[in-house]
Amino acid sequence: MSTLPTIEELLSSSAREICEFYAKTFRMSGPRAICSRYSYPGAKHTPQLLVQMLSGHSYNISQLVIAIYMEFRRLFRIKDLCPKDLSFLGVNHDNPEAISGDSATGVDGITKELKESVEAGAILRLYGNLACRDFMIAEFKRYEARDEYPTQIVKMTDSIELILFSQLCVRNGVGMIKQTSDGFVLITDEKDRLVDPRTHAEISDYFKENGLVLLEDTLFKDNSGNLPISRIMYDHSLSRLENQFGERAPELIEIFKLISKEAATFPFENFNFKNMPAMFL
């Protein structure tokens, strides 16, 4: 006698479908390019990183946010949002980075105030005298304010995409970190590379004198004593989301955890990325 799946099983299945969807869409947006992490005035510059192109990342978010919202609609507080609005916010959420580059506050002198100031100027330069400038600036300010539920959903999706991307890299031979006498080293299929100690200073918190301490409540683990970058991304993203939405929208935290849990074991290596470029710095 067959039994009906539980709610937990259905949610787990949906989360796994999202992981597979991401793996498939990444094949479309997969071209990658070497670019500077950021180009903020007065900030120290780290070495170049091999990252997703802004266009590819934005495309991924625009697709992923629709899939997540409609797949997990039962969990969202507002269930009648327009998927087109979510997709529009997603594809435009990082527009200033076309000028300013990517950044993380608290790294190499990047403060929240500097980030906001530079991005405000960047979006002005991006659109120049185009007729759409005021509209696009208003939409970017809307997203950055995080006051509306759609903007909060897009921010959650942005964090989820970071987890999916970093775990995809790990499962394809890029993104395991070990500690050596020379510092932290990123293990790749091509050549191990020293990790920039300024950009990834937070890594040191995970390593002790006796090697990596694996916490029981952390999803992304490795028995070799090496550190998956997906673990760092998960811990930091979860902390940020809890600070921003923990009280206002706890369901967003739940969805983030659900999809991250499936991503931890999803076989991304089965989607033809074994030979993807392995040139992270």
Side-chain angles (χ1 to χ4, degrees):
M1 180 177 177
S2 61
T3 58
L4 294 175
T6 65
I7 295 298
E8 290 74 17
E9 289 172 337
L10 290 173
L11 291 175
S12 178
S13 176
S14 291
R16 195 166 183 81
E17 290 288 338
I18 293 297
C19 291
E20 181 172 338
F21 174 72
Y22 180 78
K24 292 174 180 175
T25 56
F26 192 86
R27 293 170 66 96
M28 297 174 64
S29 62
R32 299 148 65 78
I34 294 178
C35 64
S36 296
R37 182 174 176 83
Y38 44 70
S39 53
Y40 285 17
K44 299 176 183 177
H45 285 250
T46 59
Q48 291 182 321
L49 300 170
L50 187 65
V51 297
Q52 290 190 78
M53 292 180 67
L54 174 60
S55 57
H57 168 67
S58 298
Y59 168 81
N60 287 337
I61 298 298
S62 72
Q63 300 297 300
L64 198 57
V65 69
I66 295 177
I68 290 174
Y69 177 70
M70 299 188 75
E71 192 70 21
F72 292 94
R73 191 188 295 266
R74 73 180 77 180
L75 298 183
F76 286 101
R77 185 174 74 250
I78 301 176
K79 299 175 173 53
D80 60 351
L81 296 176
C82 176
K84 291 181 181 179
D85 184 42
L86 293 173
S87 184
F88 175 84
L89 284 168
V91 81
N92 290 289
H93 78 289
D94 276 342
N95 282 358
E97 291 184 8
I99 303 295
S100 67
D102 193 8
S103 71
T105 55
V107 177
D108 288 356
I110 303 297
T111 64
K112 183 175 184 294
E113 292 74 21
L114 176 60
K115 177 180 170 68
E116 292 176 348
S117 174
V118 170
E119 289 187 347
I123 200 165
L124 283 170
R125 293 195 296 276
L126 177 63
Y127 290 104
N129 294 319
L130 291 171
C132 67
R133 185 187 68 175
D134 291 345
F135 171 77
M136 295 304 294
I137 289 175
E139 286 298 302
F140 178 72
K141 289 181 178 178
R142 172 193 172 201
Y143 171 71
E144 286 295 297
R146 311 278 198 274
D147 292 331
E148 301 177 29
Y149 199 48
T151 63
Q152 296 169 9
I153 292 175
V154 172
K155 180 57 182 177
M156 174 204 68
T157 304
D158 192 23
S159 296
I160 289 174
E161 201 271 346
L162 181 62
I163 302 304
L164 295 175
F165 174 67
S166 60
Q167 184 63 0
L168 181 150
C169 291
V170 167
R171 294 298 289 261
N172 283 280
V174 184
M176 295 300 298
I177 299 171
K178 65 181 178 181
Q179 189 172 25
T180 71
S181 58
D182 295 324
F184 299 115
V185 175
L186 185 66
I187 305 170
T188 77
D189 282 342
E190 294 184 358
K191 181 181 179 181
D192 293 349
R193 297 171 181 271
L194 283 174
V195 177
D196 188 310
R198 299 169 301 163
T199 307
H200 300 96
E202 66 273 16
I203 295 173
S204 62
D205 294 336
Y206 292 89
F207 288 88
K208 308 300 180 184
E209 290 183 3
N210 296 322
L212 179 64
V213 178
L214 295 175
L215 303 178
E216 292 300 324
D217 59 351
T218 302
L219 291 176
F220 300 93
K221 303 178 182 180
D222 182 73
N223 294 328
S224 68
N226 298 325
L227 175 69
I229 57 172
S230 48
R231 175 177 173 176
I232 298 177
M233 298 299 100
Y234 176 77
D235 288 352
H236 285 214
S237 296
L238 178 59
S239 176
R240 287 195 296 267
L241 289 176
E242 287 177 336
N243 289 335
Q244 292 184 43
F245 310 131
E247 296 182 358
R248 292 188 293 169
E251 68 278 8
L252 301 186
I253 310 299
E254 180 182 357
I255 294 170
F256 172 81
K257 289 181 176 180
L258 279 169
I259 297 176
S260 295
K261 181 178 180 180
E262 292 302 319
T265 58
F266 186 80
F268 285 108
E269 65 273 18
N270 292 341
F271 289 82
N272 298 330
F273 286 101
K274 199 64 180 176
N275 296 316
M276 65 187 293
M279 296 173 62
F280 280 74
L281 291 177

